[in-house]
Amino acid sequence: MFENKDTFKATFLDRLVSMHGKEVQETTPSDQYQTLGCMVREFISSSWVNTTDFYEENESKQVYYLSMEFLLGKQLKNNLLSLGVYSICKEGLMELGIDMEQLEGKEPDAGLGNGGLGRLAADFMDSLASLNMPGHGCGIRYKYGLFEQKIMDGYQIEVPDYWLKEGNVWEIRKSDQAFEVRFGGEVHMREANGDLFFEHINYEPVIAVPYDMPMVGYHNETVNTLRLWSAESIMKDFELSELSNHNYHKIVEYKRRTEEISEFLYPDDSTEEGRVLRLKQQYFLVSASLQSIVSRYKKVHQDLKEFSNKIAIHTNDTHPVLAIPELMRILMDEEGFSWKDAWEITSNTISYTNHTILSEALETWPIELFRTLLPRIYMIVEEINERFCRDLWKKFPSNWDKISDLAIIADNQIRMAHLAVVGSHYVNGVSKLHSNILKNQLMKDFASIMPNKFTNKTNGISHRRWLLVANSCLAGTITEAIGSSWINNPTALQNLTNFSNDRGFQEDIAKVKAYNKQNLANWIYKDSGVVVDPSSIFDVHIKRMHAYKRQLLNVFHIIDLYRRIKADPNLVITPRTFIFGGKAAPSYHLAKDIVKLINTVADIVNQDKTIRDQIKVVFIKNYGVSDAERIIPATDVSEQISTASKEASGTGNMKFMMNGALTIGTHDGANIEIAEAAGFENLFLFGLKPEEVLRYYAEGNYIVREVYNQDPRLIYILDQFINGPLSKEKADFKSIYYSLLNHDEYFVLKDFSSYVETQNKVAHAYVNQEEWLKKSIINIANSGYFSSDRTIKEYGEEIWKIKPMR
Ligand SMILES: *Cc1c(COP(=O)(O)O)cnc(C)c1O
């Protein structure tokens, strides 16, 4: 159906009418999207089945990537490009008077993630398939993705994101492959022939039904599977009535309790409520995935003893770490393995990525809650803990402090990161700096007793999605210069280095950027009514709203710049458009205040005629993957200004680099590796070093007031919050004021001066376009290392021990 334009057009029209029961002229872009999506899925299906069969026939080792989040965004364009039929469709549709972009816009973003962690999982799926690697994802099919962010009167309002409203053309429900997941109840122990048997009774069953989505490789006919689980109540009516003693209300209650498990994604949040449900979600994902993996394994292989040679299971952060006790449970209780053998298999199967050192983000669960909800799993965790502590006792006799520091269960809490480290054969950080902090600070004692477990895998991004799909103009310009080999081998972007001084190529790059900026400017006008000048510097700060990411530092610079322009009517600066986007977790009040602050500053600045449009401030609401795809190609300056040591890696930074933006950033996460790759002279690093930040924390000798009192600019800015125009807002910016002056945990004031100085260098550098374009080209040329293809190859070779097939 995609052989050529004519067969495509004929099939498309035929399907369009039969699917929607309307005349072609009556169909909406949404109808057209549904039709094209279904055609693509059908087209993929034979490769999908073949890929699965091929892996089974070859008995190749498979990896399963367990993640509570997959921030997929849209699939259509990606899939069409991967299948090599994008231009046939685009041109065919054009001849039918249908605009491809409008049609693409009708696909809902699958927002099943908060930010970088979820997007990483999605880019990994893309790389696994494109590298012909037998790797699949396991996640939850949340009925509601991350909330939709609306802005009212400058405030963030959260609205449910019902992304499945029109269905999901990519998924296939497989009710015949459902599994039962058990919550609550009691465990009975029984002894027979000297063996202990465990029986889980009086539990509440939940049915996990898989919805499979195809993950399409680039031009290679590999289609892997992303399996998303949906929670349902047991289906047989008589069982239902038994379960609830024929009580209708109890049945309704039970249905509600089960179905809510896959209802919504938890916002990334340090002070979350309703945590029982979150733990239920985690076990639900893990139990359904492991039962499914073991059952599939047994279809293909004889002996479960070989499990870890044929299966690798990766846990994306600690959220799916119950995979460790769950695999133990299956092997012991259902397959009759001894503890020792089950442990050997489990710990050789599972590996774990740590994503953060923020202490509030390290998961723990109260024992009581955990034991009530997962009685058998609790017993296993307790046993893992006891055996581990006994080993520790041998290594550190009588050193109670050390043992309780390292224990999995302590202070009435289960520490998921400790469980993860003890039960995995590899633990990795996500940038060199982050992995070193893990090894030498946060998990120093673990690393000293198991030094070979700790490793680094610097994150990456899909260069297909973030360059080929998101910035086809730039991709085309690159291919014209160096050929298309970079698509399969992104390090070939290196060849652009030869063009960094080429005036003609610089001009081409400048034209692409100007075009993308004009498009973004048009879109901003439509979205928010703000007129922005496409020739100004587009200075972009898009990521989750969080104190450590320091949107405040950026705002401080804007307020200072605004003051300078107001103070000197003759001052001419390089015009700048400051663009923000990001969601604040609903109960993270400080982050929500910062959203309001940005919008308030935007109103003041944008309406002030006296500054002659030299600066504009834009807050793009409801930031998600599709927004990132639109904004990043149009960016000149990439804001990566987290407090040094706090951003484990960052992946936004890599996307910007690959699209030719220059970074203003701290010595944090992957920024450092980006600087090493591009050369420090080709970006703008500033501020405290990670070791300085860590020393201040350790010694507690950062005195905010000293910094504040010595810098009149800071006195002026902070004064705005309590006496100036910002204090006149209904909003209470005093909370921001006090959080900074009392504590300034993230060193906003400390780094302010260095940041402003560096921003002035940026403004100055931008004026010399020839130099700027040269730096931009060198950034693109060195961005190939940050492709997730490189990351996935490293995971495959060093952790999972899986190889590309075919
Ligand atoms: C890449 C990406 C992120 C991660 O951005 P960071 O700057 O690394 O925090 C978050 N959200 C979306 C939609 C992304 O595409």
Side-chain angles (χ1 to χ4, degrees):
M1 56 187 126
F2 293 106
E3 294 78 28
N4 58 54
K5 248 188 326 194
D6 293 327
T7 51
F8 165 70
K9 273 161 49 185
T11 322
F12 179 78
L13 287 179
D14 193 47
R15 295 287 173 88
L16 187 59
V17 171
S18 60
M19 245 178 99
H20 301 286
K22 309 179 189 170
E23 295 290 331
V24 174
Q25 309 81 272
E26 308 272 288
T27 59
T28 62
S30 175
D31 296 338
Q32 295 154 5
Y33 159 71
Q34 298 286 337
T35 299
L36 183 56
C38 286
M39 283 170 68
V40 174
R41 203 198 67 205
E42 195 182 312
F43 185 66
I44 290 167
S45 60
S46 63
S47 302
W48 198 0
V49 174
N50 289 342
T51 302
T52 311
D53 287 351
F54 180 73
Y55 292 157
E56 285 184 4
E57 279 158 24
N58 284 272
E59 300 191 12
S60 46
K61 188 170 184 184
Q62 318 258 326
V63 60
Y64 294 89
Y65 194 81
L66 269 52
S67 180
M68 287 286 281
E69 303 187 12
F70 286 89
L71 188 49
L72 296 165
K74 303 190 200 299
Q75 304 299 305
L76 181 63
K77 187 173 181 187
N78 221 61
N79 286 346
L80 289 171
L81 278 167
S82 292
L83 297 168
V85 299
Y86 185 72
S87 17
I88 287 177
C89 293
K90 190 176 165 126
E91 286 161 25
L93 288 172
M94 195 153 58
E95 289 174 16
L96 298 172
I98 296 172
D99 176 35
M100 180 69 140
E101 259 175 54
Q102 195 187 13
L103 180 155
E104 284 166 15
K106 292 300 165 186
E107 176 172 3
D109 265 44
L112 310 183
N114 277 286
L117 175 147
R119 186 56 229 174
L120 184 77
D123 278 342
F124 280 5
M125 291 298 110
D126 179 281
S127 285
L128 281 165
S130 295
L131 294 169
N132 292 311
M133 280 161 77
H136 313 283
C138 302
I140 293 179
R141 181 180 178 270
Y142 302 104
K143 191 164 159 194
Y144 300 95
L146 187 62
F147 65 87
E148 180 186 344
Q149 178 191 52
K150 303 217 176 205
I151 300 294
M152 283 173 77
D153 192 23
Y155 292 98
Q156 167 177 303
I157 308 288
E158 302 97 28
V159 178
D161 163 49
Y162 188 27
W163 69 293
L164 292 168
K165 200 160 44 217
E166 312 278 338
N168 172 6
V169 299
W170 306 113
E171 69 187 12
I172 298 186
R173 179 184 161 94
K174 304 229 171 108
S175 39
D176 59 318
Q177 295 176 41
F179 290 92
E180 185 178 274
V181 178
R182 301 172 172 181
F183 292 99
E186 302 106 49
V187 177
H188 276 194
M189 258 188 285
R190 186 160 58 72
E191 208 192 313
N193 307 328
D195 286 330
L196 278 178
F197 292 90
F198 297 88
E199 200 187 354
H200 192 178
I201 56 169
N202 295 334
Y203 54 82
E204 182 159 278
V206 176
I207 306 301
V209 181
Y211 286 72
D212 287 353
M213 287 175 74
M215 297 287 118
V216 183
Y218 185 78
H219 289 196
N220 66 0
E221 292 183 35
T222 291
V223 181
N224 291 336
T225 302
L226 171 60
R227 173 159 280 197
L228 299 178
W229 297 98
S230 180
E232 299 184 2
S233 48
I234 49 175
M235 288 166 282
K236 296 185 196 103
D237 287 348
F238 73 92
E239 284 181 0
L240 255 182
S241 52
E242 277 307 302
L243 187 77
S244 318
N245 283 329
H246 309 275
N247 181 327
Y248 176 70
H249 286 290
K250 280 192 180 167
I251 295 179
V252 173
E253 271 294 292
Y254 162 70
K255 278 185 85 79
R256 198 190 51 72
R257 268 200 312 278
T258 48
E259 283 161 19
E260 77 178 354
I261 293 175
S262 57
E263 196 112 298
F264 72 95
L265 164 75
Y266 268 86
D268 184 81
D269 194 339
S270 42
T271 55
E272 62 197 31
E273 286 158 49
R275 288 174 32 106
V276 183
L277 187 53
R278 170 80 177 179
L279 183 58
K280 268 190 172 175
Q281 289 186 332
Q282 295 186 352
Y283 183 65
F284 172 76
L285 163 66
V286 155
S287 180
S289 304
L290 277 144
Q291 292 184 64
S292 157
I293 294 165
V294 169
S295 132
R296 176 139 287 240
Y297 175 91
K298 284 164 69 174
K299 269 200 210 133
V300 183
H301 306 283
Q302 308 293 328
D303 192 350
L304 273 162
K305 283 204 192 79
E306 293 299 310
F307 193 76
S308 64
N309 296 326
K310 292 293 172 188
I311 303 284
I313 296 176
H314 199 88
T315 63
N316 194 22
D317 212 322
T318 54
H319 320 141
V321 152
L322 295 179
I324 294 164
E326 176 66 2
L327 185 52
M328 291 295 285
R329 183 192 68 77
I330 294 173
L331 291 173
M332 294 189 303
D333 297 1
E334 292 179 15
E335 304 292 342
F337 279 83
S338 69
W339 180 281
K340 189 167 159 288
D341 291 344
W343 183 250
E344 173 91 14
I345 294 169
T346 300
S347 53
N348 281 320
T349 301
I350 292 177
S351 47
Y352 152 66
T353 297
N354 173 285
H355 280 273
T356 181
I357 60 159
L358 294 184
S359 54
E360 66 270 26
L362 291 173
E363 282 192 302
T364 60
W365 296 106
I367 288 180
E368 247 339 282
L369 183 161
F370 193 102
R371 182 166 45 200
T372 311
L373 195 63
L374 307 167
R376 179 61 183 134
I377 294 301
Y378 179 72
M379 292 168 77
I380 294 171
V381 172
E382 215 177 18
E383 178 79 24
I384 296 173
N385 182 51
E386 267 182 39
R387 288 173 186 247
F388 177 57
C389 288
R390 253 181 269 148
D391 284 351
L392 288 174
W393 181 265
K394 284 184 211 144
K395 290 198 178 80
F396 311 106
S398 307
N399 192 343
W400 287 107
D401 285 348
K402 181 157 256 159
I403 294 169
S404 75
D405 277 355
L406 292 177
I408 296 166
I409 305 178
D411 307 326
N412 248 337
Q413 299 281 323
I414 301 172
R415 301 158 165 173
M416 300 292 269
H418 293 206
L419 177 59
V421 173
V422 173
S424 305
H425 63 306
Y426 277 107
V427 175
N428 74 283
V430 288
S431 70
K432 276 193 217 163
L433 172 67
H434 168 62
S435 296
N436 282 333
I437 293 177
L438 277 186
K439 208 168 150 169
N440 303 326
Q441 314 236 355
L442 192 70
M443 296 188 168
K444 186 172 88 206
D445 290 334
F446 280 110
S448 76
I449 50 181
M450 22 184 122
N452 299 327
K453 245 186 214 190
F454 286 80
T455 171
N456 172 246
K457 298 283 162 279
T458 298
N459 279 167
I461 54 160
S462 164
H463 62 286
R464 285 168 293 273
R465 174 164 298 247
W466 295 106
L467 184 47
L468 199 62
V469 174
N471 197 349
S472 45
C473 273
L474 181 58
T477 304
I478 292 171
T479 298
E480 262 174 49
I482 62 169
S484 62
S485 66
W486 63 273
I487 299 173
N488 282 321
N489 169 26
T491 49
L493 288 170
Q494 274 294 343
N495 297 328
L496 288 173
T497 314
N498 305 328
F499 292 83
S500 63
N501 285 313
D502 182 316
R503 279 305 287 154
F505 187 71
Q506 288 179 356
E507 278 311 311
D508 293 342
I509 292 289
K511 273 194 209 124
V512 170
K513 188 63 84 181
Y515 173 83
N516 290 333
K517 287 170 77 174
Q518 183 64 60
N519 277 346
L520 180 61
N522 297 345
W523 186 80
I524 287 173
Y525 181 68
K526 261 201 289 186
D527 187 63
S528 63
V530 180
V531 178
V532 302
D533 174 5
S535 70
S536 65
I537 301 176
F538 279 18
D539 178 323
V540 176
H541 203 162
I542 47 173
K543 49 185 78 232
R544 281 179 300 121
M545 302 299 301
H546 200 293
Y548 88 82
K549 291 177 181 281
R550 296 203 295 191
Q551 282 90 359
L552 268 181
L553 183 56
N554 190 337
V555 174
F556 272 37
H557 169 242
I558 298 172
I559 296 176
D560 184 56
L561 190 57
Y562 179 61
R563 176 193 57 79
R564 270 142 64 194
I565 302 172
K566 296 282 281 180
D568 176 2
N570 297 320
L571 181 67
V572 175
I573 63 151
T574 322
R576 248 205 243 227
T577 303
F578 295 93
I579 297 170
F580 292 86
K583 296 179 185 176
S587 65
Y588 190 176
H589 299 290
L590 183 69
K592 291 173 90 168
D593 289 344
I594 298 171
V595 172
K596 171 65 180 169
L597 175 65
I598 294 168
N599 283 307
T600 306
V601 171
D603 279 347
I604 295 171
V605 169
N606 297 348
Q607 282 163 24
D608 189 339
K609 297 279 177 288
T610 68
I611 61 168
R612 293 157 287 133
D613 291 333
Q614 294 195 90
I615 54 178
K616 285 281 171 72
V617 181
V618 179
F619 186 90
I620 291 175
K621 63 175 183 294
N622 201 35
Y623 171 60
V625 173
S626 294
D627 305 276
E629 289 175 19
R630 187 178 2 254
I631 298 166
I632 293 170
T635 297
D636 297 306
V637 177
S638 156
E639 298 275 353
Q640 307 300 335
I641 61 177
S642 53
T643 309
S645 81
K646 294 289 182 186
E647 187 75 270
S649 162
T651 46
N653 46 7
M654 302 168 184
K655 300 167 195 167
F656 285 107
M657 177 199 200
M658 198 172 270
N659 281 276
L662 302 196
T663 304
I664 179 162
T666 44
H667 299 262
D668 202 16
N671 296 350
I672 301 169
E673 287 161 76
I674 288 176
E676 285 167 356
F680 283 78
E681 69 283 11
N682 294 311
L683 31 61
F684 303 89
L685 293 192
F686 71 95
L688 290 172
K689 303 274 166 58
E691 50 292 0
E692 294 175 301
V693 170
L694 294 171
R695 198 178 329 119
Y696 276 121
Y697 283 133
E699 295 173 6
N701 55 357
Y702 166 40
I703 316 289
V704 192
R705 290 277 169 177
E706 275 176 13
V707 178
Y708 173 76
N709 288 329
Q710 281 166 17
D711 192 335
R713 296 169 302 179
L714 285 173
I715 295 173
Y716 170 83
I717 293 166
L718 279 156
D719 197 50
Q720 301 298 298
F721 291 83
I722 48 168
N723 294 316
L726 293 175
S727 70
K728 296 192 181 62
E729 278 294 321
K730 277 181 290 172
D732 196 0
F733 296 130
K734 285 192 185 64
S735 58
I736 298 178
Y737 177 87
Y738 287 112
S739 83
L740 290 171
L741 275 184
N742 287 340
H743 191 38
D744 193 16
E745 188 182 352
Y746 297 105
F747 300 88
V748 173
L749 274 60
K750 184 80 183 163
D751 272 345
F752 172 74
S753 169
S754 166
Y755 180 59
V756 171
E757 199 180 303
T758 309
Q759 279 288 25
N760 292 340
K761 284 188 199 152
V762 169
H764 197 70
Y766 191 77
V767 177
N768 185 343
Q769 273 291 300
E770 195 173 324
E771 270 300 303
W772 184 276
L773 288 165
K774 180 179 163 188
K775 290 184 199 304
S776 168
I777 294 166
I778 293 175
N779 270 276
I780 301 169
N782 291 289
S783 67
Y785 176 79
F786 299 100
S787 165
S788 46
D789 286 9
R790 186 266 313 150
T791 315
I792 283 296
K793 278 185 198 153
E794 289 179 6
Y795 275 98
E797 281 165 24
E798 294 161 36
I799 298 182
W800 304 330
K801 313 286 193 299
I802 62 166
K803 290 191 272 305
M805 305 283 297
R806 296 190 226 213

